[in-house]
Amino acid sequence: MSKILVMDAYVARQGTHENVESLGRIKFGICVDAGLSSLTGTPFPEGDYDFFTRQVDDPLAFGGAVCTIEAKSIAADFLKSYCPMLSVTPITTAEDLSTLEIKLVNSAGEFATKALTTASSREGMALYNADGTSMGTSVPLSCDLLPVANTIFNPCWLFVSAFTDPDEKFSDDQILYSFGVQSNRYWGKTTLSRTALLKTKIINFLNNIEKYTPPSSPDPYDDAGDSGPGGGEGTFDYTGNPPGGWDPSFVPDINATDTGFVTLFNPTIAELQTLSNYLWSSAFDLNTFKKIFNDPMELFIGLSIVPVSVPDGGRKQVGIGLINTGVYMTLAGTQWVTVDCGTLNVPNFTGSYLDYDPYTRVEIYLPFIGVRTLKADEVSGKAVHVGYWVDLLSGACVAWIDINNVPMYQFMGQCATSIPMASGEWTSLINGIIGAVGAVASGAAAGGVGGAIAGGVAAASSVAVNDSKIQVERSGAITSAAGLVALQMPVLYISAPNLHKPANQNVFEGYPAYYTSTLADVSGYTTIESIRLQGIPATEPELEEIETLLKGGVIL
Amino acid sequence: MAFNIILQQNLSPKNQLTKDTTDLVTLSGILREDRTDIINPVVLVETDYEKMSAVNYASINLFSRSYFVTKIEIVRSYKPDEETPRMITYAIFLKVDVLSSFATEIRSNSAIIKRNENASNILLNDGVFKVKQNPYIVVSAFPSGFLGAKELILAMAGNAGGVMGT
């Protein structure tokens, strides 16, 4: 929909019209004005023209603010009543005129623009070329013609038109010319018979307004499409559906021992010694054994030390192939064992944004796993629980870390220490240890200076607010035998900012707020982010100063 | 045109919305120039008040405004040997205190409060706090762990190692 701003009439002389017309810039014009009859000496009858109802006693004062406003309103009403497709915004105050711009647009899309400086200034009618040079429209008060100017803003145009002369008579056809700015015609006293024709021409004209198309050049990004509004479709539902936390009552519903191919004993040292003595004694019938196996050690899958209490599965005699050894051992009641390390409540140290990443850093040492990093965003002010699952057969362990009963982290490790039962296993064990030590050494080396004290609670392990401090490893891969001699319970390491706060800081500069409130409900030092001052009987500079002071900080 | 001007002393911060002022003296004053504005007026008063040096604030009810006194000039004084009482004409330079002058109206406005002394949310990070280079290192052990006795596990192939196992 086109938008037309209807400005008021200004007095100009005939030469103005000629100049404009000769430039060929005017695409159209509309004659809507009041006060024409005053120049004829015979006022229009009221209602003769429904848009020519304003009577002006002194035509030379026609540029004055009062009649300007009234005429403008009349013109706007007229346009709206005869061209509903247009959005017409009347200018209702004299001050509005000072902010208006006149735009002249030619067929090539060029436009000239000039702001009206004052509501009553006839220099406001001065027309300018696109390069800013004046078209020359000095308007003397003694002019005898009365052009009418209406601004039709982008995407339409402004134009100047309509003339009258107290002595000139003209026909209906002359009205058309005058209206269309096709020639310099004088508009004398009108009659009711011309009204309908004039209305028709105006309506036709408005229906054929050419839209102003601004100059354009090829845009290589046209294929990207035009931007538009978006967003605002959030649900703000942050409930989620977290799984349950660590539950020691949960066990896998199948054990390796259930298959019949594996048996797990929980022997004592004495029982192992008795079994060993039997295997190396003459009582062990090797001939019978070798009917099935080449080597008695083929029956032993592994012997290991585990850091947990093994559930009692009852006593059973150990058989070697088809041979009963006479040695009884306790069976492991299950393949899976849990270890509950308990809960730590992590406090909010300052209760501020400093309790979270990246200002606060949180690490956790997990037995048989090593040190892992936790997000302070997830841990601060929460309850941290650690629980383990241990597989007695393989020695694998999984540490569950629940934050407020929601499992947030799971790390895997190895907690069983293998005891070699043959030379080959010894070699594997040593190689495994060397590998583990290498992992520790590389972790320490990564810590640079702090690496020398890896594993300790050292100052070098602190976390800087700006991430500029050296990061070190507290441990490498602590598993198997190494894990047996390391810390046996989880430990939290929290690096928290050391606040340096002046006394009464809130009094002097306040703390961040960002909420909307009536100022009467706020007290103490306050700064304003945004405000729309209203209801204050102050001058404009005073209002500006008030806003500046409020934004700079005041004591309410 | 003469009007009353209340000369006051203000000890409140200049950015305080309402000032705690003490009225010192009320005088009749005139504008020094025929044309002046009410934001930065210069008022002439003639007085023998001896504590003009304590004046730093003023109110002019005619203008419905309170003012900071920015400067006090002595325009004219009588010579000591004159018989008339010692009267001095002062030119008091004023600057409007927009906060106090429109305090009631300002309070009726709503705004987005950026910072406040009493009601704040320090979970918002606007860099308000400074921190030292040496952070606190808090070390906390969990209450339990692998603290029990270590035990042995012997894994053997087959069902207890033999068909005769019982």
Side-chain angles (χ1 to χ4, degrees):
Chain A
M1 175 174 287
S2 302
K3 183 177 182 180
I4 293 182
L5 288 177
V6 180
M7 198 192 74
D8 192 330
Y10 279 81
V11 176
R13 60 179 177 176
Q14 181 181 357
T16 300
H17 179 268
E18 289 173 337
N19 289 342
V20 172
E21 189 177 44
S22 63
L23 290 172
R25 291 177 176 274
I26 301 303
K27 298 299 292 292
F28 66 85
I30 307 174
C31 175
V32 181
D33 190 24
L36 299 177
S37 64
S38 64
L39 295 179
T40 69
T42 304
F44 284 128
E46 193 71 22
D48 189 7
Y49 289 96
D50 50 359
F51 54 99
F52 290 167
T53 55
R54 167 66 180 159
Q55 306 301 313
V56 180
D57 295 328
D58 179 8
L60 298 183
F62 187 69
V66 175
C67 65
T68 291
I69 296 170
E70 293 184 9
K72 191 162 22 59
S73 300
I74 293 167
D77 291 342
F78 168 78
L79 288 175
K80 281 196 291 188
S81 63
Y82 285 96
C83 189
M85 72 174 187
L86 296 173
S87 171
V88 181
T89 303
I91 300 170
T92 55
T93 66
E95 286 76 14
D96 290 341
L97 293 174
S98 64
T99 62
L100 276 179
E101 275 191 343
I102 293 177
K103 287 191 175 180
L104 293 177
V105 182
N106 64 14
S107 57
E110 299 169 343
F111 64 91
T113 180
K114 175 64 178 178
L116 289 173
T117 54
T118 63
S120 59
S121 169
R122 288 170 181 167
E123 292 182 358
M125 270 304 300
L127 303 175
Y128 289 79
N129 297 312
D131 61 2
T133 58
S134 173
M135 295 178 180
T137 55
S138 176
V139 184
L141 287 174
S142 58
C143 67
D144 55 357
L145 296 176
L146 187 65
V148 180
N150 295 280
T151 50
I152 303 174
F153 264 64
N154 187 6
C156 300
W157 305 265
L158 153 94
F159 110 76
V160 180
S161 175
F163 301 70
T164 187
D165 184 285
D167 301 323
E168 187 75 11
K169 303 296 182 183
F170 60 96
S171 65
D172 287 350
D173 290 340
Q174 289 175 314
I175 292 179
L176 305 183
Y177 285 124
S178 178
F179 172 75
V181 203
Q182 296 300 312
S183 65
N184 181 14
R185 300 294 183 183
Y186 291 170
W187 189 353
K189 180 179 180 181
T190 57
T191 64
L192 282 172
S193 62
R194 298 188 181 102
T195 305
L197 180 59
L198 181 58
K199 289 178 180 177
T200 301
K201 294 303 296 181
I202 291 176
I203 291 172
N204 290 338
F205 161 72
L206 292 174
N207 285 332
N208 290 283
I209 289 176
E210 288 185 40
K211 298 292 179 59
Y212 167 59
T213 303
S216 62
S217 57
D219 185 346
Y221 296 101
D222 275 345
D223 291 341
D226 295 334
S227 59
E233 298 172 351
T235 64
F236 296 97
D237 179 4
Y238 305 106
T239 306
N241 182 29
W246 184 78
D247 180 5
S249 66
F250 165 80
V251 292
D253 55 6
I254 186 169
N255 288 322
T257 54
D258 296 337
T259 65
F261 287 96
V262 177
T263 301
L264 292 178
F265 288 106
N266 176 211
T268 63
I269 293 292
E271 290 167 348
L272 284 175
Q273 289 173 344
T274 302
L275 179 61
S276 176
N277 292 337
Y278 171 79
L279 289 175
W280 293 99
S281 70
S282 58
F284 181 49
D285 185 355
L286 192 59
N287 291 329
T288 302
F289 181 85
K290 284 193 171 182
K291 292 177 181 176
I292 304 175
F293 302 102
N294 292 322
D295 184 348
M297 302 313 291
E298 290 179 0
L299 280 175
F300 294 93
I301 297 173
L303 177 62
S304 59
I305 302 172
V306 292
V308 294
S309 295
V310 180
D312 189 343
R315 301 284 290 178
K316 194 169 187 178
Q317 183 179 188
V318 178
I320 307 295
L322 301 175
I323 303 171
N324 285 329
T325 63
V327 179
Y328 285 80
M329 294 183 181
T330 301
L331 288 168
T334 179
Q335 182 183 348
W336 311 97
V337 177
T338 59
V339 177
D340 188 349
C341 300
T343 300
L344 274 184
N345 292 309
V346 179
N348 285 319
F349 294 103
T350 65
S352 74
Y353 63 90
L354 293 174
D355 290 338
Y356 300 92
D357 291 310
Y359 307 98
T360 293
R361 288 289 186 89
V362 180
E363 292 177 310
I364 188 169
Y365 164 76
L366 297 167
F368 304 103
I369 293 175
V371 174
R372 297 292 184 266
T373 299
L374 307 180
K375 286 181 67 65
D377 291 349
E378 298 168 346
V379 170
S380 291
K382 306 283 181 60
V384 181
H385 175 269
V386 176
Y388 274 75
W389 280 102
V390 175
D391 174 17
L392 296 177
L393 177 60
S394 67
C397 61
V398 174
W400 281 50
I401 301 178
D402 293 348
I403 312 295
N404 279 3
N405 296 319
V406 175
M408 300 294 284
Y409 301 89
Q410 295 183 59
F411 298 109
M412 194 185 80
Q414 172 66 30
C415 65
T417 300
S418 294
I419 299 174
M421 301 179 73
S423 60
E425 291 184 10
W426 177 257
T427 303
S428 299
L429 177 64
I430 294 301
N431 288 339
I433 293 174
I434 291 173
V437 171
V440 173
S442 64
V449 176
I453 51 174
V457 186
S461 63
S462 63
V463 179
V465 172
N466 58 7
D467 286 344
S468 62
K469 289 194 173 183
I470 296 173
Q471 303 297 307
V472 303
E473 298 287 342
R474 295 187 188 279
S475 72
I478 296 183
T479 61
S480 302
L484 287 177
V485 294
L487 283 170
Q488 297 296 294
M489 78 286 287
V491 179
L492 270 181
Y493 299 92
I494 302 175
S495 174
N498 189 350
L499 198 59
H500 186 71
K501 192 186 82 63
N504 301 319
Q505 185 177 2
N506 60 322
V507 173
F508 289 108
E509 59 184 22
Y511 290 148
Y514 284 96
Y515 54 82
T516 300
S517 173
T518 303
L519 295 181
D521 297 330
V522 181
S523 63
Y525 180 84
T526 305
T527 62
I528 300 302
E529 175 71 15
S530 181
I531 192 170
R532 295 180 181 178
L533 287 173
Q534 55 187 356
I536 301 177
T539 62
E540 192 271 344
E542 288 175 318
L543 290 172
E544 282 190 0
E545 183 179 358
I546 291 172
E547 185 166 344
T548 300
L549 289 171
L550 289 174
K551 289 182 176 178
V554 297
I555 302 170
L556 299 176
Chain B
M1 181 184 69
F3 51 85
N4 283 341
I5 177 172
I6 305 171
L7 300 182
Q8 300 165 304
Q9 186 178 61
N10 166 48
L11 299 180
S12 301
K14 66 178 181 180
N15 62 341
Q16 186 165 304
L17 190 66
T18 53
K19 310 296 190 291
D20 297 323
T21 58
T22 302
D23 292 351
L24 299 180
V25 62
T26 300
L27 300 173
S28 178
I30 60 171
L31 296 176
R32 190 175 72 165
E33 300 171 353
D34 291 340
R35 295 183 61 186
T36 186
D37 64 71
I38 62 173
I39 297 177
N40 299 289
V42 180
V43 178
L44 295 177
V45 296
E46 188 177 60
T47 180
D48 58 355
Y49 183 66
E50 297 176 347
K51 297 182 179 177
M52 285 299 289
S53 61
V55 172
N56 66 354
Y57 204 75
S59 292
I60 301 177
N61 291 333
L62 178 65
F63 300 153
S64 302
R65 279 165 172 77
S66 299
Y67 296 89
F68 295 110
V69 174
T70 60
K71 185 170 62 173
I72 299 176
E73 286 183 354
I74 298 175
V75 178
R76 182 178 66 250
S77 63
Y78 291 89
K79 295 178 180 178
D81 57 349
E82 289 181 330
E83 294 181 354
T84 54
R86 182 175 178 79
M87 300 288 284
I88 300 176
T89 301
Y90 296 95
I92 303 175
F93 292 73
L94 304 172
K95 176 185 179 302
V96 68
D97 178 2
V98 292
L99 294 179
S100 290
S101 298
F102 305 103
T104 302
E105 294 85 351
I106 291 173
R107 281 200 176 96
S108 68
N109 276 263
S110 292
I112 297 175
I113 310 300
K114 185 177 182 180
R115 303 174 74 85
N116 182 251
E117 171 183 340
N118 299 313
S120 59
N121 186 341
I122 56 176
L123 288 175
L124 297 170
N125 178 7
D126 73 344
V128 62
F129 294 123
K130 304 293 183 186
V131 296
K132 301 173 186 174
Q133 191 69 1
N134 54 327
Y136 291 110
I137 305 299
V138 182
V139 181
S140 300
F142 280 74
S144 187
F146 296 84
L147 304 178
K150 281 37 176 178
E151 299 191 12
L152 294 165
I153 288 291
L154 175 64
M156 295 190 66
N159 184 8
V163 295
M164 300 175 67
T166 56

